[in-house]
Amino acid sequence: MEELLKIENLTVGIASPAGKVQAVRDVSLELHPGEVLAIVGESGCGKSILCKTIMKLLPKSAKIEGGKIIANGVDITDYADKDMRRLRGKLFSMIFQDPMTALNPTIPIGKQIAEAIAIHEPKLSKEKVYNRVIELMELVGIKQPHERYKLYPYNFSGGMRQRSVMAIALAANPKILLADEPTTALDVTIQAQILDLLRQIQTKLGTATILVSHDLGVVARCADRVAIMYAGRIVEIGTAEEVYYDPRHPYTWGLMQSLPALNKGAKELKTIPGMPPTLIDPPKGDAFACRNEYALEIDYLEQPPMFRITDTHYAATWLLDPRAPKIDSPMGGMGHV
Amino acid sequence: MSEILLDVQRLSHVFKLGKYAVIKAVDDVSFQMKKGEIFGLVGESGSGKSTVARCIMNVYKPAAGKILYNGIDVCDSRAFRKHRKMLESSRQIIFQDSTSSLNQRMTVEKIIAEPMSIHHIKPPRGSLRAEAEFQLSYVGMDSSYLDKYPTELSGGQRQRVAIARALSMEPELLVADEPVASLDVSIQAQIINLLRHCNEQHGCSILFIAHDLSMVEYLCNRVGVMYHGKLVEVAPTAALYANPQHPYTKALLSAIPVPDPIAERNRSHIDFDETAFDREGTMVEIAPGHWVLRKEDSQ
């Protein structure tokens, strides 16, 4: 299968008063047409920056320092803003965490969706634009679109606003949808609806989606493949089944074990000791080593490569090296249903 | 253990919106908390759970209803004045946003020791600094943090400082208003473990407010579900999760994301129709300790 988006050894640095923050370090991944790839990690691990790098929405202080972004077969790494503008919306578009800040509070919802359509197809007649807006509003599950066309964002609830943002994002039929924590600001019941909608749209339109989240529960609901990020690197990547039922990286174990849903009846939740390292001066070797109870001596000296487990499942930990001592996964006895 | 610590009786609170409109944030809510219990209060945003917490802490004056704490009506100003010292020191609150609940211009030491100096309590460990150091070590941070400012700490550390400040008064009731909502998963687990430890070792009762239902299931003994200012269901945790009765509780529980891809994909959600929600009705006990909001004639 031809990949829609290919990222090769991408490195992004952000200048700050304290020094250069290495926000994304040597990340490689692929996105195939029609799949949902989830990127999971703690705050500050670089998952949002990775998304913004793909869209080229980085702040001025940030710079791509190495690697390539190949979208739809074209290398867009060095694209200027003018060239990017042709791609945004058509090739990829983005949904942000907070729908209220993404929408203009002084313009009716329908008009904001119409604007997105008109920009991509300036020759379309007003009537056709209106029909397309109604069609989009129906697609994202906004009922009574004709009446709601004229309503303002403040008339809408959080879930409805997020639906409107999705309608805008889908206006020009993008091939790739980047969703940066689309449900974090929403209630659980609304969250479930939005996630179902995301999945529906993805099957209906065949849009490939990158879903950024910190919630392993949310990710389980709609991801085909999952990438776990830590300290600017991808430490484990695989299909959802592989990562959830057979995780190999100690950090993934730690994340799973700290979830109360998987620890019913346990006396204490397992925690990951310590803090994530600062990325201004990342430690030599594996960034997770000092928090890792299974750390080997080599973890402190050398960054582990991605070890292959299956054709789709890779993890960056020295524990997978043939010379490493055998360690049974602590997740073995977790008893997934 | 079965002694009642907190008794909320028919509590109501309204917020005025402009001249004529009012919003009923809390509407006729009654529940009790036993000593040494962890009681969870869940509901979506705007359901009034934080308002209940603030009424209990005397931040808001309720429009109607009584809150009895150890038998004292805390909303009655005469009773409050009489027991002021006890009420102010034995009830403590932790807020969701630790950035705004800690004074940016005070060091961690000053923040933790402030309640003691306000109440003129002689520090049992000699000095206020020693006391702050002890509380800090209790929440798992070392003494090097004493002279730091909140801005120098991470979210999880700030939340620990807020907990240390609350614990410095050795409270009987700890109200935790979404203490883990803004934290990462691994840090959440640390704070939850800490709260559980406080409850087990010091017998401190906790009113735990959250919207993360899996956290509540793990931590709490009993759970109350709120919807649009109404308490719709109260039950022991196991009973509520195994056998939810109110349609809203069912919808809420079916929406919890489970970290299990295959099970999660095949699960269907129950949608709750907002218009079908009936504000009328009384709490009916359907099993020992399991109360549901229901119209009398419907059953």
Side-chain angles (χ1 to χ4, degrees):
Chain A
M1 201 163 32
E2 180 66 24
E3 56 275 300
L4 208 49
L5 180 74
K6 195 169 179 185
I7 296 174
E8 280 173 9
N9 308 89
L10 187 73
T11 303
V12 178
I14 304 173
S16 82
K20 195 181 72 188
V21 180
Q22 299 182 15
V24 176
R25 303 190 291 153
D26 197 16
V27 166
S28 301
L29 54 84
E30 283 139 40
L31 184 70
H32 302 290
E35 72 167 356
V36 179
L37 170 71
I39 301 176
V40 185
E42 291 177 271
S43 47
C45 74
K47 51 195 195 309
S48 287
I49 290 290
L50 180 62
C51 261
K52 286 182 180 161
T53 312
I54 299 169
M55 289 285 283
K56 293 283 189 64
L57 293 172
L58 288 172
K60 280 214 178 77
S61 55
K63 222 178 113 204
I64 299 177
E65 285 174 345
K68 269 185 195 163
I69 306 170
I70 299 162
N72 220 0
V74 186
D75 186 350
I76 60 162
T77 326
D78 298 320
Y79 265 34
D81 202 40
K82 199 175 73 190
D83 305 312
M84 282 308 290
R85 225 174 281 164
R86 281 188 288 118
L87 297 181
R88 289 186 199 131
K90 276 205 182 110
L91 181 60
F92 33 54
S93 59
M94 191 159 178
I95 304 171
F96 293 94
Q97 178 173 347
D98 186 2
M100 198 58 210
T101 49
L103 292 169
N104 186 334
T106 61
I107 300 175
I109 293 283
K111 244 185 170 171
Q112 295 195 43
I113 303 173
E115 188 188 0
I117 300 165
I119 282 175
H120 291 291
E121 283 167 82
K123 287 190 187 114
L124 223 54
S125 72
K126 263 191 182 167
E127 197 185 338
K128 276 193 179 146
V129 170
Y130 180 81
N131 289 338
R132 174 91 178 113
V133 171
I134 301 298
E135 192 185 306
L136 278 169
M137 284 170 93
E138 272 163 0
L139 176 73
V140 297
I142 300 178
K143 284 169 199 139
Q144 302 168 305
H146 294 282
E147 288 84 352
R148 289 200 163 121
Y149 185 94
K150 284 189 186 130
L151 293 181
Y152 288 88
Y154 65 82
N155 296 118
F156 277 32
S157 64
M160 294 288 278
R161 276 180 211 146
Q162 198 59 285
R163 283 170 198 266
S164 320
V165 172
M166 281 169 84
I168 295 173
L170 295 169
N173 279 326
K175 289 208 177 83
I176 306 167
L177 189 64
L178 295 135
D180 188 358
E181 309 245 6
T183 59
T184 310
L186 307 174
D187 284 314
V188 256
T189 42
I190 314 294
Q191 167 172 292
Q193 291 169 11
I194 296 285
L195 291 176
D196 285 354
L197 178 65
L198 212 65
R199 189 87 218 182
Q200 260 173 38
I201 287 171
Q202 185 256 328
T203 40
K204 217 186 265 174
L205 306 179
T207 319
T209 310
I210 295 183
L211 174 76
V212 173
S213 181
H214 65 268
D215 190 332
L216 282 163
V218 165
V219 167
R221 189 158 186 88
C222 44
D224 298 311
R225 288 200 302 141
V226 180
I228 310 276
M229 243 181 127
Y230 182 76
R233 283 177 195 273
I234 288 180
V235 294
E236 182 158 7
I237 186 165
T239 64
E241 285 85 356
E242 284 165 341
V243 173
Y244 277 82
Y245 300 138
D246 185 25
R248 293 299 180 93
H249 197 280
Y251 179 63
T252 319
W253 295 341
L255 277 184
M256 299 266 183
Q257 283 175 318
S258 57
L259 291 175
L262 298 180
N263 287 280
K264 277 179 194 165
K267 190 109 182 69
E268 202 166 55
L269 290 177
K270 196 135 168 51
T271 58
I272 304 174
M275 302 289 297
T278 61
L279 293 176
I280 289 177
D281 187 19
K284 202 178 159 198
D286 188 359
F288 188 58
C290 54
R291 300 173 77 188
N292 182 1
E293 55 183 304
Y294 306 100
L296 308 169
E297 216 169 287
I298 190 161
D299 274 317
Y300 294 96
L301 301 171
E302 206 174 320
Q303 170 65 34
M306 281 298 227
F307 286 96
R308 180 182 162 279
I309 300 149
T310 66
D311 274 342
T312 47
H313 192 185
Y314 292 83
T317 166
W318 283 115
L319 292 178
L320 293 170
D321 192 272
R323 286 160 295 174
K326 258 268 142 303
I327 285 173
D328 286 328
S329 157
M331 309 294 293
M334 292 297 285
H336 283 278
V337 258
Chain B
M1 280 294 271
S2 65
E3 219 179 315
I4 285 159
L5 177 72
L6 184 74
D7 189 356
V8 178
Q9 296 174 356
R10 316 206 63 159
L11 180 77
S12 294
H13 189 72
V14 290
F15 287 110
K16 285 202 177 97
L17 295 175
K19 212 169 179 184
Y20 304 105
V22 289
I23 184 163
K24 268 194 176 170
V26 178
D27 186 6
D28 200 8
V29 165
S30 308
F31 65 91
Q32 294 180 332
M33 254 180 88
K34 298 189 193 88
K35 270 193 182 147
E37 179 179 54
I38 306 183
F39 185 81
L41 209 51
V42 296
E44 60 190 69
S45 47
S47 62
K49 38 192 206 311
S50 287
T51 312
V52 169
R54 285 166 187 219
C55 286
I56 290 169
M57 293 304 291
N58 283 99
V59 178
Y60 296 145
K61 196 169 162 44
K66 263 189 192 171
I67 298 165
L68 298 181
Y69 174 77
N70 269 335
I72 302 157
D73 185 356
V74 299
C75 305
D76 180 38
S77 48
R78 185 175 291 173
F80 182 79
R81 268 203 300 277
K82 197 171 160 195
H83 299 278
R84 185 173 158 172
K85 195 151 192 184
M86 184 278 276
L87 288 172
E88 280 182 351
S89 62
S90 71
R91 299 174 304 163
Q92 294 293 328
I93 186 164
I94 309 164
F95 293 98
Q96 171 178 358
D97 183 8
S98 52
T99 326
S100 57
S101 69
L102 302 178
N103 190 334
Q104 306 284 313
R105 295 174 179 232
M106 284 164 86
T107 58
V108 167
E109 178 200 345
K110 292 259 162 55
I111 290 170
I112 297 175
E114 196 186 16
M116 296 208 111
S117 51
I118 287 175
H119 288 284
H120 306 294
I121 293 170
K122 193 164 169 263
R125 285 168 197 87
S127 66
L128 286 174
R129 192 177 169 86
E131 192 63 37
E133 193 178 335
F134 172 78
Q135 294 299 347
L136 209 55
S137 69
Y138 185 80
V139 296
M141 288 164 75
D142 60 55
S143 57
S144 65
Y145 290 101
L146 278 176
D147 296 314
K148 289 200 170 164
Y149 288 90
T151 43
E152 296 172 78
L153 306 177
S154 70
Q157 288 170 335
R158 275 202 294 268
Q159 204 56 276
R160 281 157 193 266
V161 171
I163 293 176
R165 173 176 66 181
L167 292 181
S168 69
M169 299 308 293
E170 293 174 4
E172 218 177 332
L173 173 68
L174 188 65
V175 176
D177 188 357
E178 307 237 16
V180 294
S182 53
L183 304 175
D184 276 319
V185 197
S186 63
I187 314 291
Q188 273 185 5
Q190 294 172 8
I191 301 289
I192 293 295
N193 282 340
L194 183 61
L195 287 176
R196 189 170 238 202
H197 179 80
C198 293
N199 174 260
E200 277 167 5
Q201 303 298 315
H202 303 270
C204 145
S205 313
I206 302 173
L207 176 63
F208 184 76
I209 295 172
H211 61 252
D212 184 343
L213 289 138
S214 51
M215 268 316 165
V216 170
E217 182 181 15
Y218 176 77
L219 185 71
C220 300
N221 307 116
R222 282 199 309 139
V223 183
V225 182
M226 283 190 77
Y227 184 68
H228 282 201
K230 278 277 198 194
L231 196 62
V232 295
E233 192 160 357
V234 182
T237 312
L240 185 89
Y241 282 77
N243 184 21
Q245 287 297 317
H246 196 276
Y248 177 68
T249 317
K250 285 180 190 165
L252 195 63
L253 291 182
S254 82
I256 310 177
V258 184
D260 183 343
I262 293 174
E264 188 60 34
R265 277 176 210 154
N266 299 327
R267 219 156 56 113
S268 64
H269 287 306
I270 306 167
D271 271 338
F272 181 65
D273 186 7
E274 209 174 295
T275 50
F277 180 61
D278 197 351
R279 300 188 75 84
E280 304 299 313
T282 46
M283 294 298 270
V284 182
E285 190 168 22
I286 54 149
H290 193 150
W291 296 76
V292 186
L293 184 76
R294 208 174 247 175
K295 261 197 170 167
E296 273 142 35
D297 52 348
S298 70
Q299 196 72 49

